[in-house]
């Protein structure tokens, strides 16, 4: 597996006005969504438990709410920072700020005090409705994701980097983030279908290690983004390709 240190760097050698996503951008955006789906937290466990106790359709209803929460955060991050990004989109310090946000989020994930001892506690206290009320499950997924400030921080850091890199082209940004969501949704669908197997594999030690790995990946991505603010794009392209 290629370390995703350059996932937040879209291909700059293209006419963004007539943007069509190439394989390089599609792969990177899809992988961001893939890794996001393995961020350990209450949503992760509730999705698996809902699939086991209530079936795939109930879990999909819950997951659609979670995805809507992510889309809401993307819109908040994008439109909340759009006017500022339009003015400073060529400022390399944006990569420094975006990288710093990802590093902080990665450090929080890595040093989470509950990682080792209480990793499964969230799963034990999950309240999964007895009846298959899909609308209730949908809103449960939405609000459970929406109250997580860390998710907003992640999307803000991503928008701060991806937006200026794509020259704030709305069409390009839309397809890039749509592909991230697609990667996240496809991976979650796999988790739903393999819920029973995942449940047996998710021991406290495995969860502890997964969270640390995800924290390290976020930190590495953040460091590379910060370096991008000081290294010319042609040098980065040479390293990537």
């Amino acid at each position: 597996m290629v370390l995703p240190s350059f996932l937040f760097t879209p291909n700059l050698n293209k006419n963004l006005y007539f943007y069509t996503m190439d394989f390089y951008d599609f792969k990177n955006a899809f992988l961001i969504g893939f890794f996001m789906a393995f961020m350990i937290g209450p949503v992760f466990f509730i999705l698996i438990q809902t699939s086991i106790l209530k079936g795939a359709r109930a879990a999909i209803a819950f997951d659609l709410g979670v995805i809507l929460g992510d889309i809401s955060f993307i819109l908040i991050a994008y439109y909340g920072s759009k006017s500022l990004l339009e003015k400073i989109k060529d400022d390399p310090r944006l990569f420094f700020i975006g990288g710093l946000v990802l590093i902080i989020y990665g450090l929080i994930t890595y040093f989470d005090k509950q990682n080792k001892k209480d990793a499964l506690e969230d799963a034990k206290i999950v309240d999964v409705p007895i009846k298959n009320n899909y609308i209730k499950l949908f809103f449960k997924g939405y609000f459970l994701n929406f109250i997580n400030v860390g998710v907003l921080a992640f999307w803000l850091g991503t928008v701060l980097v991806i937006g200026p890199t794509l020259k704030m082209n709305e069409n390009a940004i839309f397809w890039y983030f749509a592909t991230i969501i697609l990667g996240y949704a496809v991976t979650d669908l796999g988790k739903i279908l393999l819920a029973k197997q995942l449940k047996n594999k998710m021991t406290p030690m495995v969860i502890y290690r997964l969270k640390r790995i995800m924290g390290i990946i976020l930190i590495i991505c953040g460091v590379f983004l910060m370096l991008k603010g000081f290294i010319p794009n042609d040098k980065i392209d040479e390293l990537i390709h």
Side-chain angles (χ1 to χ4, degrees):
M1 181 179 295
V2 179
L3 186 65
S5 55
F6 53 81
L7 295 183
F8 297 86
T9 309
N11 187 358
L12 301 178
N13 299 318
K14 61 178 70 177
N15 186 343
L16 288 174
Y17 186 79
F18 300 104
Y19 179 82
T20 55
M21 178 170 278
D22 58 21
F23 178 75
Y24 174 82
D25 283 358
F26 181 86
K27 175 198 68 176
N28 287 355
F30 194 91
L31 283 176
I32 292 174
F34 174 81
F35 283 106
M36 277 183 56
F38 287 96
M39 297 298 291
I40 303 297
V43 169
F44 182 94
F45 293 114
I46 294 177
L47 182 66
I48 293 175
Q49 257 198 354
T50 302
S51 180
I52 293 172
L53 298 178
K54 306 306 299 174
R57 284 186 293 182
I60 290 172
F62 173 81
D63 197 41
L64 288 174
V66 173
I67 291 172
L68 182 61
D70 281 316
I71 293 173
S72 298
F73 274 145
I74 293 172
L75 293 175
I76 291 172
Y78 176 71
Y79 287 105
S81 59
K82 183 179 179 182
S83 59
L84 175 63
L85 293 178
E86 287 283 2
K87 296 177 182 177
I88 59 175
K89 61 184 179 182
D90 296 320
D91 192 332
R93 286 175 293 183
L94 275 177
F95 292 103
F96 183 87
I97 297 171
L100 183 62
V101 171
L102 290 181
I103 289 174
I104 293 173
Y105 190 45
L107 288 172
I108 292 173
T109 301
Y110 186 87
F111 290 109
D112 185 355
K113 294 181 180 179
Q114 293 183 334
N115 275 357
K116 193 170 184 178
K117 294 183 179 180
D118 302 322
L120 292 179
E121 288 302 311
D122 288 328
K124 293 178 182 178
I125 61 174
V126 167
D127 176 26
V128 179
I130 297 175
K131 296 181 180 180
N132 277 357
N133 188 330
Y134 297 125
I135 295 178
K136 185 175 181 180
L137 282 167
F138 174 85
F139 283 106
K140 184 181 183 71
Y142 176 81
F143 287 110
L144 188 63
N145 198 31
F146 194 75
I147 62 175
N148 189 341
V149 180
V151 177
L152 175 59
F154 173 83
W155 285 122
L156 180 60
T158 305
V159 168
L160 285 174
V161 174
I162 299 299
T165 302
L166 293 174
K167 306 300 181 184
M168 295 306 294
N169 179 280
E170 290 189 355
N171 185 43
I173 291 171
F174 171 82
W175 285 112
Y176 201 91
F177 279 91
T179 305
I180 293 177
I181 294 297
L182 174 65
Y184 181 86
V186 170
T187 306
D188 268 2
L189 183 60
K191 284 158 52 181
I192 290 170
L193 298 176
L194 299 173
K196 290 184 179 179
Q197 292 88 328
L198 284 174
K199 182 73 172 180
N200 295 331
K201 298 288 185 181
M202 299 306 292
T203 64
M205 184 54 67
V206 169
I207 294 168
Y208 173 69
R209 289 173 178 172
L210 270 177
K211 293 191 79 172
R212 290 215 153 190
I213 289 172
M214 295 309 300
I216 291 172
I217 289 174
L218 286 170
I219 292 169
I220 292 174
C221 287
V223 169
F224 271 80
L225 288 176
M226 292 177 75
L227 291 175
K228 183 173 169 54
F230 303 99
I231 301 176
N233 288 329
D234 56 345
K235 294 291 185 181
I236 294 175
D237 289 338
E238 289 178 9
L239 291 173
I240 291 174
H241 299 291

